Structure formats: structure tokens, C-alpha cells
Amino acid sequence: MEVKKERSNNICTLYVDGVLDYSTMEPFVEKVRSIEEGIEKVIVDFTDLEFIDSTGIGAIINLVHEANTKQFEVELCGIIDEIKDLFETIGVFQIMEALQEESD
Amino acid sequence: MCSREFINEQPREINKTLEREIKLARNIQMKLLNGKQPYLENGEVLGVSIPARVIGGDYYDFYVLPDGKLRIVIGDVMGKGIPAAMLMILTRGAFRSAAESTHGPGETLTAMNNAMYNDLRTLGSFVTVFCADWDPKNNTLTYANAGHNIPLTVTSEEDIAEFPKTKGVMIGGLPDQEYSEESLELDDRGFVLFYTDGIVEAQNKDGEMYRMERLCDVLLKSYQSNVKDIKESIVQSLNIFTEGVPQRDDITMVLLKSR
């Protein structure tokens, strides 16, 4: 699993490549920890994501809550339908919407 | 007290102590989890949980309500092993306490979320939970969902379907959640399967997943069987598929069949 981080102005993009699960999530968590002050938006690009388990989803949810506290926006992109369904069932998008409404 | 003991112990003894304590923890979890299955006059129910490691984070439970209904719950704690097992016990306590004081599965999930939200947020964790009340009088399930896999209903040797969806955020996702309820009249001869994702995500040596299609095949072939035999067929099919590859995730299922 590899996570590449790119910054352009006040937008930070995390490219997740491979399996984001219990045994591989540390690089993702590290990259989230290293998000600098002043970032206004974090994009997580899942185009090359092969598999995500509950621990990986937990890391995404923690990022969403952190974004709410530190006042930056999170966007998830490149999600295949199967993972979109999983996020929908678990409630990832509902959390994002609720926290977004709260900060508006 | 534990840390002082550890300071005086040699590494080999520490390992032995840890091993013994983990074994005891496993016994506690297994006894609490795989306890007495309720006897039903008009049906049969069976739950089983197989942890991927010594102990796990999956959970199921039954609670017989004063009006004769059976409350069924199945849950999956984020993560694996000892940390997940600790939260599984917390989930069990929240369910047992909520089951006594709430009227339906939606209210039960709300009470569980209220009880657990702050702790789970502090720990950066969550639990997916599906809760259903089975009414033996009209063979109907009323259910609510907090982010869990949707159960399957098998109504003939050719027909299998997911329950009609009902949305709800996982326990620990957001505070003050309400969970909507749906009802489903069960087939008189069919059965339902509540499960955790460890079944469909079990892998063989090539890294291929067991997937929903294989599970559905086994369930359709088991239409005439009793719940014990259905469980055996699923476990056997998983064992044949994985060919001894170590289990990556906890596997849990609850089967309910009316008669």
C-alpha cells in the first residue's frame, strides 16, 4: 500500500494505491497527520484502491471528523461502485453530509 | 499492579503470562458470545462466531422480550483482535441494557449509539449493528440498521434476496441518531441469514474472495435444511474455498427459520 501526497495551493490530495486495511493503514494515517495548517481542502483519490476494510473506513471517518474540527473540507473521489455501496451502507456519506451541514 | 509484576518478570515469563491471560480472555468472550441459544416454539435460531485471531470483534446476541418476540442483534467492531474484543464487550453491555428498556430495534440502536458514541469517537472506532425483532405470532421481522450488511432471505430453492434497505449510520458515527424501522413478513418455509463481512471477504491462497455469489449458492441449496445444517454447509463451503489459508476477518452468522 502506498499513499502519495500532493499539495497545490491550499488543496492537499492523497492518492491511495493498493489495500487500505488493518495491516496497511499506517502510511495513510501518517500522511493525514502530516496535513499542514492552512489547508482548506483534502481530496482522497481512491482510483487505485484495491480493497478497504473496516479499519480503513475508520481512518476515513476520523479524517472527516478531524476536518470538521480543523475546518477543512474533505472530498472522496475515484470510488468504484462496490466501495461506494459499502460507504453508503456504513454511513460514510451521511457523516460527511451531516458534518458539512453543521459547519455551514 | 500488572506493570509491577511485569518489571520483575523475565521476557519468557511475560510471554507466558500474556498467553495465559489472552487464553482466559478468549474463554470469557467465547462463553459470553456462544452462550445458550433461545428455544423457539415456532422456529429455530442459531448463532455462531469464529474469530480470525484468538479473540475477535464480531458480536451477536438474542434477547427474549416480555411479549414473546425475539430481539436479534449482530454487530462488527472496527478492527481485529484484542482491541476489537474489548469494544465488542462494550457493545454487548450496551445492547443488553438497551434491549430491556426500548420498544423496538430502532430505539435499541438509538440507545446503543447514545451510550457508546463518546467512547467510540474518543477511540476513533465504530461498530456496525443490525437489530431485528422477530414476532412468532405473524412470522414478521421488524428491523433497523446501523451501517451493517443487509441480511438475506431465502424463500425457495431459486429465490434469495436482501432485506429491503433501511439506512442508518454506524454506532459511533454521529451523535443523536434515529434509526428508521422496516418490516418483512418471512416465508413460512424459508430462512434468513444475518452475517458479518468476514464470510464474503474470506480469501483463498490466490487472494480471491469468497464473495456473495458463493454464499447465495450454498444458501439456495440449503433451503430444505435446518439451521444447524445450513451453518455446517456455509462453514464447510468456506473451508473448501479457503483451503486452510488463515482467516483474515472474524466470521459471524445468525440463522432464523420459522416452522
PDB file of all heavy atoms in Angstrom, chain A residues 27-55:
ATOM      1  N   PRO A  27       0.631   4.056   6.722  1.00  0.00           N
ATOM      2  CA  PRO A  27       1.073   5.151   5.827  1.00  0.00           C
ATOM      3  C   PRO A  27      -0.027   6.184   5.587  1.00  0.00           C
ATOM      4  O   PRO A  27       0.265   7.382   5.513  1.00  0.00           O
ATOM      5  CB  PRO A  27       1.409   4.431   4.510  1.00  0.00           C
ATOM      6  CG  PRO A  27       1.597   3.007   4.859  1.00  0.00           C
ATOM      7  CD  PRO A  27       0.777   2.737   6.081  1.00  0.00           C
ATOM      8  N   PHE A  28      -1.283   5.731   5.527  1.00  0.00           N
ATOM      9  CA  PHE A  28      -2.389   6.664   5.315  1.00  0.00           C
ATOM     10  C   PHE A  28      -2.546   7.584   6.535  1.00  0.00           C
ATOM     11  O   PHE A  28      -2.646   8.808   6.408  1.00  0.00           O
ATOM     12  CB  PHE A  28      -3.686   5.906   5.030  1.00  0.00           C
ATOM     13  CG  PHE A  28      -4.871   6.807   4.796  1.00  0.00           C
ATOM     14  CD1 PHE A  28      -5.066   7.405   3.563  1.00  0.00           C
ATOM     15  CD2 PHE A  28      -5.775   7.078   5.812  1.00  0.00           C
ATOM     16  CE1 PHE A  28      -6.139   8.267   3.339  1.00  0.00           C
ATOM     17  CE2 PHE A  28      -6.847   7.930   5.606  1.00  0.00           C
ATOM     18  CZ  PHE A  28      -7.027   8.521   4.370  1.00  0.00           C
ATOM     19  N   VAL A  29      -2.523   6.969   7.720  1.00  0.00           N
ATOM     20  CA  VAL A  29      -2.679   7.741   8.959  1.00  0.00           C
ATOM     21  C   VAL A  29      -1.540   8.757   9.096  1.00  0.00           C
ATOM     22  O   VAL A  29      -1.740   9.914   9.480  1.00  0.00           O
ATOM     23  CB  VAL A  29      -2.758   6.797  10.186  1.00  0.00           C
ATOM     24  CG1 VAL A  29      -2.775   7.571  11.494  1.00  0.00           C
ATOM     25  CG2 VAL A  29      -3.994   5.911  10.091  1.00  0.00           C
ATOM     26  N   GLU A  30      -0.317   8.315   8.755  1.00  0.00           N
ATOM     27  CA  GLU A  30       0.859   9.208   8.798  1.00  0.00           C
ATOM     28  C   GLU A  30       0.670  10.418   7.894  1.00  0.00           C
ATOM     29  O   GLU A  30       0.957  11.558   8.274  1.00  0.00           O
ATOM     30  CB  GLU A  30       2.125   8.446   8.355  1.00  0.00           C
ATOM     31  CG  GLU A  30       2.705   7.538   9.427  1.00  0.00           C
ATOM     32  CD  GLU A  30       3.155   8.329  10.650  1.00  0.00           C
ATOM     33  OE1 GLU A  30       3.698   9.436  10.474  1.00  0.00           O
ATOM     34  OE2 GLU A  30       2.927   7.857  11.781  1.00  0.00           O
ATOM     35  N   LYS A  31       0.196  10.156   6.678  1.00  0.00           N
ATOM     36  CA  LYS A  31       0.000  11.260   5.712  1.00  0.00           C
ATOM     37  C   LYS A  31      -1.083  12.222   6.207  1.00  0.00           C
ATOM     38  O   LYS A  31      -0.966  13.430   6.049  1.00  0.00           O
ATOM     39  CB  LYS A  31      -0.386  10.699   4.330  1.00  0.00           C
ATOM     40  CG  LYS A  31       0.774  10.020   3.603  1.00  0.00           C
ATOM     41  CD  LYS A  31       1.769  11.045   3.071  1.00  0.00           C
ATOM     42  CE  LYS A  31       2.797  10.462   2.117  1.00  0.00           C
ATOM     43  NZ  LYS A  31       3.696   9.462   2.631  1.00  0.00           N
ATOM     44  N   VAL A  32      -2.140  11.672   6.830  1.00  0.00           N
ATOM     45  CA  VAL A  32      -3.199  12.538   7.374  1.00  0.00           C
ATOM     46  C   VAL A  32      -2.622  13.409   8.490  1.00  0.00           C
ATOM     47  O   VAL A  32      -2.891  14.606   8.568  1.00  0.00           O
ATOM     48  CB  VAL A  32      -4.401  11.698   7.881  1.00  0.00           C
ATOM     49  CG1 VAL A  32      -5.359  12.545   8.700  1.00  0.00           C
ATOM     50  CG2 VAL A  32      -5.138  11.056   6.711  1.00  0.00           C
ATOM     51  N   ARG A  33      -1.781  12.775   9.333  1.00  0.00           N
ATOM     52  CA  ARG A  33      -1.164  13.526  10.436  1.00  0.00           C
ATOM     53  C   ARG A  33      -0.298  14.671   9.924  1.00  0.00           C
ATOM     54  O   ARG A  33      -0.137  15.689  10.579  1.00  0.00           O
ATOM     55  CB  ARG A  33      -0.278  12.573  11.266  1.00  0.00           C
ATOM     56  CG  ARG A  33      -1.001  12.048  12.483  1.00  0.00           C
ATOM     57  CD  ARG A  33      -0.023  11.342  13.425  1.00  0.00           C
ATOM     58  NE  ARG A  33      -0.679  10.150  13.939  1.00  0.00           N
ATOM     59  CZ  ARG A  33      -0.205   8.925  13.873  1.00  0.00           C
ATOM     60  NH1 ARG A  33       0.973   8.697  13.326  1.00  0.00           N
ATOM     61  NH2 ARG A  33      -0.886   7.907  14.360  1.00  0.00           N
ATOM     62  N   SER A  34       0.273  14.470   8.728  1.00  0.00           N
ATOM     63  CA  SER A  34       1.218  15.479   8.224  1.00  0.00           C
ATOM     64  C   SER A  34       0.535  16.588   7.413  1.00  0.00           C
ATOM     65  O   SER A  34       1.207  17.409   6.809  1.00  0.00           O
ATOM     66  CB  SER A  34       2.287  14.793   7.361  1.00  0.00           C
ATOM     67  OG  SER A  34       1.702  14.326   6.158  1.00  0.00           O
ATOM     68  N   ILE A  35      -0.809  16.608   7.409  1.00  0.00           N
ATOM     69  CA  ILE A  35      -1.511  17.685   6.694  1.00  0.00           C
ATOM     70  C   ILE A  35      -1.224  19.019   7.400  1.00  0.00           C
ATOM     71  O   ILE A  35      -1.442  19.155   8.611  1.00  0.00           O
ATOM     72  CB  ILE A  35      -3.034  17.410   6.628  1.00  0.00           C
ATOM     73  CG1 ILE A  35      -3.307  16.191   5.722  1.00  0.00           C
ATOM     74  CG2 ILE A  35      -3.803  18.631   6.104  1.00  0.00           C
ATOM     75  CD1 ILE A  35      -4.731  15.686   5.779  1.00  0.00           C
ATOM     76  N   GLU A  36      -0.720  19.956   6.627  1.00  0.00           N
ATOM     77  CA  GLU A  36      -0.265  21.225   7.206  1.00  0.00           C
ATOM     78  C   GLU A  36      -1.433  22.136   7.605  1.00  0.00           C
ATOM     79  O   GLU A  36      -2.529  22.012   7.076  1.00  0.00           O
ATOM     80  CB  GLU A  36       0.624  21.990   6.204  1.00  0.00           C
ATOM     81  CG  GLU A  36       1.864  21.232   5.759  1.00  0.00           C
ATOM     82  CD  GLU A  36       1.618  20.319   4.551  1.00  0.00           C
ATOM     83  OE1 GLU A  36       0.446  20.185   4.141  1.00  0.00           O
ATOM     84  OE2 GLU A  36       2.590  19.744   4.039  1.00  0.00           O
ATOM     85  N   GLU A  37      -1.135  23.050   8.513  1.00  0.00           N
ATOM     86  CA  GLU A  37      -2.074  24.116   8.881  1.00  0.00           C
ATOM     87  C   GLU A  37      -2.384  24.931   7.625  1.00  0.00           C
ATOM     88  O   GLU A  37      -1.513  25.103   6.773  1.00  0.00           O
ATOM     89  CB  GLU A  37      -1.423  25.052   9.913  1.00  0.00           C
ATOM     90  CG  GLU A  37      -1.239  24.447  11.293  1.00  0.00           C
ATOM     91  CD  GLU A  37      -2.539  24.400  12.074  1.00  0.00           C
ATOM     92  OE1 GLU A  37      -3.284  25.378  12.022  1.00  0.00           O
ATOM     93  OE2 GLU A  37      -2.789  23.351  12.707  1.00  0.00           O
ATOM     94  N   GLY A  38      -3.572  25.423   7.536  1.00  0.00           N
ATOM     95  CA  GLY A  38      -3.913  26.319   6.423  1.00  0.00           C
ATOM     96  C   GLY A  38      -4.506  25.618   5.216  1.00  0.00           C
ATOM     97  O   GLY A  38      -4.983  26.255   4.279  1.00  0.00           O
ATOM     98  N   ILE A  39      -4.463  24.276   5.226  1.00  0.00           N
ATOM     99  CA  ILE A  39      -5.080  23.521   4.122  1.00  0.00           C
ATOM    100  C   ILE A  39      -6.598  23.711   4.194  1.00  0.00           C
ATOM    101  O   ILE A  39      -7.192  23.611   5.271  1.00  0.00           O
ATOM    102  CB  ILE A  39      -4.712  22.018   4.211  1.00  0.00           C
ATOM    103  CG1 ILE A  39      -3.247  21.784   3.848  1.00  0.00           C
ATOM    104  CG2 ILE A  39      -5.628  21.148   3.341  1.00  0.00           C
ATOM    105  CD1 ILE A  39      -2.883  21.959   2.394  1.00  0.00           C
ATOM    106  N   GLU A  40      -7.203  23.993   3.046  1.00  0.00           N
ATOM    107  CA  GLU A  40      -8.644  24.241   3.047  1.00  0.00           C
ATOM    108  C   GLU A  40      -9.442  23.031   2.561  1.00  0.00           C
ATOM    109  O   GLU A  40     -10.643  22.910   2.815  1.00  0.00           O
ATOM    110  CB  GLU A  40      -8.963  25.457   2.172  1.00  0.00           C
ATOM    111  CG  GLU A  40      -8.514  26.759   2.831  1.00  0.00           C
ATOM    112  CD  GLU A  40      -8.616  27.957   1.909  1.00  0.00           C
ATOM    113  OE1 GLU A  40      -9.131  27.808   0.777  1.00  0.00           O
ATOM    114  OE2 GLU A  40      -8.166  29.035   2.324  1.00  0.00           O
ATOM    115  N   LYS A  41      -8.756  22.180   1.799  1.00  0.00           N
ATOM    116  CA  LYS A  41      -9.478  21.018   1.264  1.00  0.00           C
ATOM    117  C   LYS A  41      -8.528  19.823   1.127  1.00  0.00           C
ATOM    118  O   LYS A  41      -7.384  19.988   0.687  1.00  0.00           O
ATOM    119  CB  LYS A  41     -10.033  21.389  -0.117  1.00  0.00           C
ATOM    120  CG  LYS A  41     -10.898  20.331  -0.740  1.00  0.00           C
ATOM    121  CD  LYS A  41     -11.464  20.849  -2.048  1.00  0.00           C
ATOM    122  CE  LYS A  41     -12.451  19.874  -2.632  1.00  0.00           C
ATOM    123  NZ  LYS A  41     -13.083  20.407  -3.848  1.00  0.00           N
ATOM    124  N   VAL A  42      -9.018  18.643   1.522  1.00  0.00           N
ATOM    125  CA  VAL A  42      -8.240  17.406   1.333  1.00  0.00           C
ATOM    126  C   VAL A  42      -9.032  16.498   0.398  1.00  0.00           C
ATOM    127  O   VAL A  42     -10.198  16.174   0.664  1.00  0.00           O
ATOM    128  CB  VAL A  42      -7.977  16.686   2.680  1.00  0.00           C
ATOM    129  CG1 VAL A  42      -7.332  15.327   2.448  1.00  0.00           C
ATOM    130  CG2 VAL A  42      -7.103  17.542   3.579  1.00  0.00           C
ATOM    131  N   ILE A  43      -8.397  16.126  -0.710  1.00  0.00           N
ATOM    132  CA  ILE A  43      -9.042  15.197  -1.644  1.00  0.00           C
ATOM    133  C   ILE A  43      -8.389  13.828  -1.447  1.00  0.00           C
ATOM    134  O   ILE A  43      -7.159  13.718  -1.466  1.00  0.00           O
ATOM    135  CB  ILE A  43      -8.853  15.657  -3.110  1.00  0.00           C
ATOM    136  CG1 ILE A  43      -9.450  17.058  -3.307  1.00  0.00           C
ATOM    137  CG2 ILE A  43      -9.494  14.660  -4.079  1.00  0.00           C
ATOM    138  CD1 ILE A  43      -9.100  17.689  -4.649  1.00  0.00           C
ATOM    139  N   VAL A  44      -9.208  12.797  -1.225  1.00  0.00           N
ATOM    140  CA  VAL A  44      -8.652  11.436  -1.146  1.00  0.00           C
ATOM    141  C   VAL A  44      -9.028  10.734  -2.446  1.00  0.00           C
ATOM    142  O   VAL A  44     -10.212  10.560  -2.754  1.00  0.00           O
ATOM    143  CB  VAL A  44      -9.202  10.658   0.074  1.00  0.00           C
ATOM    144  CG1 VAL A  44      -8.486   9.319   0.200  1.00  0.00           C
ATOM    145  CG2 VAL A  44      -9.033  11.459   1.354  1.00  0.00           C
ATOM    146  N   ASP A  45      -8.006  10.380  -3.217  1.00  0.00           N
ATOM    147  CA  ASP A  45      -8.229   9.773  -4.531  1.00  0.00           C
ATOM    148  C   ASP A  45      -8.108   8.246  -4.411  1.00  0.00           C
ATOM    149  O   ASP A  45      -7.029   7.710  -4.132  1.00  0.00           O
ATOM    150  CB  ASP A  45      -7.196  10.324  -5.525  1.00  0.00           C
ATOM    151  CG  ASP A  45      -7.519   9.909  -6.948  1.00  0.00           C
ATOM    152  OD1 ASP A  45      -7.975   8.759  -7.140  1.00  0.00           O
ATOM    153  OD2 ASP A  45      -7.312  10.728  -7.871  1.00  0.00           O
ATOM    154  N   PHE A  46      -9.248   7.559  -4.624  1.00  0.00           N
ATOM    155  CA  PHE A  46      -9.301   6.097  -4.467  1.00  0.00           C
ATOM    156  C   PHE A  46      -9.210   5.352  -5.796  1.00  0.00           C
ATOM    157  O   PHE A  46      -9.536   4.173  -5.852  1.00  0.00           O
ATOM    158  CB  PHE A  46     -10.616   5.705  -3.768  1.00  0.00           C
ATOM    159  CG  PHE A  46     -10.647   6.026  -2.305  1.00  0.00           C
ATOM    160  CD1 PHE A  46     -11.666   6.800  -1.768  1.00  0.00           C
ATOM    161  CD2 PHE A  46      -9.686   5.544  -1.449  1.00  0.00           C
ATOM    162  CE1 PHE A  46     -11.726   7.079  -0.413  1.00  0.00           C
ATOM    163  CE2 PHE A  46      -9.726   5.820  -0.090  1.00  0.00           C
ATOM    164  CZ  PHE A  46     -10.739   6.588   0.423  1.00  0.00           C
ATOM    165  N   THR A  47      -8.786   6.043  -6.859  1.00  0.00           N
ATOM    166  CA  THR A  47      -8.760   5.404  -8.181  1.00  0.00           C
ATOM    167  C   THR A  47      -7.989   4.079  -8.157  1.00  0.00           C
ATOM    168  O   THR A  47      -8.392   3.112  -8.796  1.00  0.00           O
ATOM    169  CB  THR A  47      -8.134   6.371  -9.222  1.00  0.00           C
ATOM    170  OG1 THR A  47      -8.832   7.611  -9.130  1.00  0.00           O
ATOM    171  CG2 THR A  47      -8.234   5.815 -10.626  1.00  0.00           C
ATOM    172  N   ASP A  48      -6.877   4.025  -7.431  1.00  0.00           N
ATOM    173  CA  ASP A  48      -6.055   2.807  -7.409  1.00  0.00           C
ATOM    174  C   ASP A  48      -6.239   1.983  -6.132  1.00  0.00           C
ATOM    175  O   ASP A  48      -5.388   1.152  -5.786  1.00  0.00           O
ATOM    176  CB  ASP A  48      -4.574   3.177  -7.583  1.00  0.00           C
ATOM    177  CG  ASP A  48      -4.332   3.802  -8.946  1.00  0.00           C
ATOM    178  OD1 ASP A  48      -4.854   3.247  -9.938  1.00  0.00           O
ATOM    179  OD2 ASP A  48      -3.665   4.848  -9.023  1.00  0.00           O
ATOM    180  N   LEU A  49      -7.345   2.229  -5.433  1.00  0.00           N
ATOM    181  CA  LEU A  49      -7.632   1.448  -4.219  1.00  0.00           C
ATOM    182  C   LEU A  49      -8.119   0.052  -4.630  1.00  0.00           C
ATOM    183  O   LEU A  49      -9.019  -0.082  -5.456  1.00  0.00           O
ATOM    184  CB  LEU A  49      -8.726   2.142  -3.390  1.00  0.00           C
ATOM    185  CG  LEU A  49      -9.181   1.416  -2.136  1.00  0.00           C
ATOM    186  CD1 LEU A  49      -8.127   1.514  -1.030  1.00  0.00           C
ATOM    187  CD2 LEU A  49     -10.500   1.989  -1.612  1.00  0.00           C
ATOM    188  N   GLU A  50      -7.508  -0.988  -4.036  1.00  0.00           N
ATOM    189  CA  GLU A  50      -7.912  -2.361  -4.389  1.00  0.00           C
ATOM    190  C   GLU A  50      -8.931  -2.922  -3.404  1.00  0.00           C
ATOM    191  O   GLU A  50      -9.803  -3.698  -3.773  1.00  0.00           O
ATOM    192  CB  GLU A  50      -6.677  -3.277  -4.415  1.00  0.00           C
ATOM    193  CG  GLU A  50      -5.771  -2.984  -5.596  1.00  0.00           C
ATOM    194  CD  GLU A  50      -4.413  -3.654  -5.446  1.00  0.00           C
ATOM    195  OE1 GLU A  50      -4.270  -4.561  -4.611  1.00  0.00           O
ATOM    196  OE2 GLU A  50      -3.490  -3.251  -6.178  1.00  0.00           O
ATOM    197  N   PHE A  51      -8.771  -2.570  -2.125  1.00  0.00           N
ATOM    198  CA  PHE A  51      -9.657  -3.122  -1.096  1.00  0.00           C
ATOM    199  C   PHE A  51      -9.591  -2.227   0.137  1.00  0.00           C
ATOM    200  O   PHE A  51      -8.549  -1.666   0.447  1.00  0.00           O
ATOM    201  CB  PHE A  51      -9.208  -4.555  -0.733  1.00  0.00           C
ATOM    202  CG  PHE A  51      -9.951  -5.168   0.423  1.00  0.00           C
ATOM    203  CD1 PHE A  51     -11.256  -5.614   0.272  1.00  0.00           C
ATOM    204  CD2 PHE A  51      -9.339  -5.307   1.671  1.00  0.00           C
ATOM    205  CE1 PHE A  51     -11.949  -6.164   1.352  1.00  0.00           C
ATOM    206  CE2 PHE A  51     -10.020  -5.869   2.746  1.00  0.00           C
ATOM    207  CZ  PHE A  51     -11.327  -6.295   2.579  1.00  0.00           C
ATOM    208  N   ILE A  52     -10.720  -2.109   0.816  1.00  0.00           N
ATOM    209  CA  ILE A  52     -10.723  -1.346   2.081  1.00  0.00           C
ATOM    210  C   ILE A  52     -11.525  -2.141   3.114  1.00  0.00           C
ATOM    211  O   ILE A  52     -12.583  -2.688   2.790  1.00  0.00           O
ATOM    212  CB  ILE A  52     -11.298   0.079   1.878  1.00  0.00           C
ATOM    213  CG1 ILE A  52     -11.172   0.915   3.160  1.00  0.00           C
ATOM    214  CG2 ILE A  52     -12.740   0.064   1.386  1.00  0.00           C
ATOM    215  CD1 ILE A  52     -11.345   2.418   2.939  1.00  0.00           C
ATOM    216  N   ASP A  53     -11.003  -2.261   4.339  1.00  0.00           N
ATOM    217  CA  ASP A  53     -11.762  -2.953   5.387  1.00  0.00           C
ATOM    218  C   ASP A  53     -12.256  -1.934   6.416  1.00  0.00           C
ATOM    219  O   ASP A  53     -12.102  -0.715   6.225  1.00  0.00           O
ATOM    220  CB  ASP A  53     -10.921  -4.075   6.026  1.00  0.00           C
ATOM    221  CG  ASP A  53      -9.854  -3.542   6.972  1.00  0.00           C
ATOM    222  OD1 ASP A  53      -9.629  -2.313   6.999  1.00  0.00           O
ATOM    223  OD2 ASP A  53      -9.256  -4.352   7.697  1.00  0.00           O
ATOM    224  N   SER A  54     -12.833  -2.422   7.522  1.00  0.00           N
ATOM    225  CA  SER A  54     -13.439  -1.508   8.494  1.00  0.00           C
ATOM    226  C   SER A  54     -12.406  -0.559   9.110  1.00  0.00           C
ATOM    227  O   SER A  54     -12.708   0.599   9.384  1.00  0.00           O
ATOM    228  CB  SER A  54     -14.166  -2.299   9.586  1.00  0.00           C
ATOM    229  OG  SER A  54     -13.260  -3.068  10.335  1.00  0.00           O
ATOM    230  N   THR A  55     -11.172  -1.038   9.288  1.00  0.00           N
ATOM    231  CA  THR A  55     -10.134  -0.169   9.856  1.00  0.00           C
ATOM    232  C   THR A  55      -9.818   0.972   8.888  1.00  0.00           C
ATOM    233  O   THR A  55      -9.624   2.119   9.302  1.00  0.00           O
ATOM    234  CB  THR A  55      -8.857  -0.983  10.176  1.00  0.00           C
ATOM    235  OG1 THR A  55      -9.234  -2.108  10.966  1.00  0.00           O
ATOM    236  CG2 THR A  55      -7.845  -0.167  10.939  1.00  0.00           C
TER     237      THR A  55
END
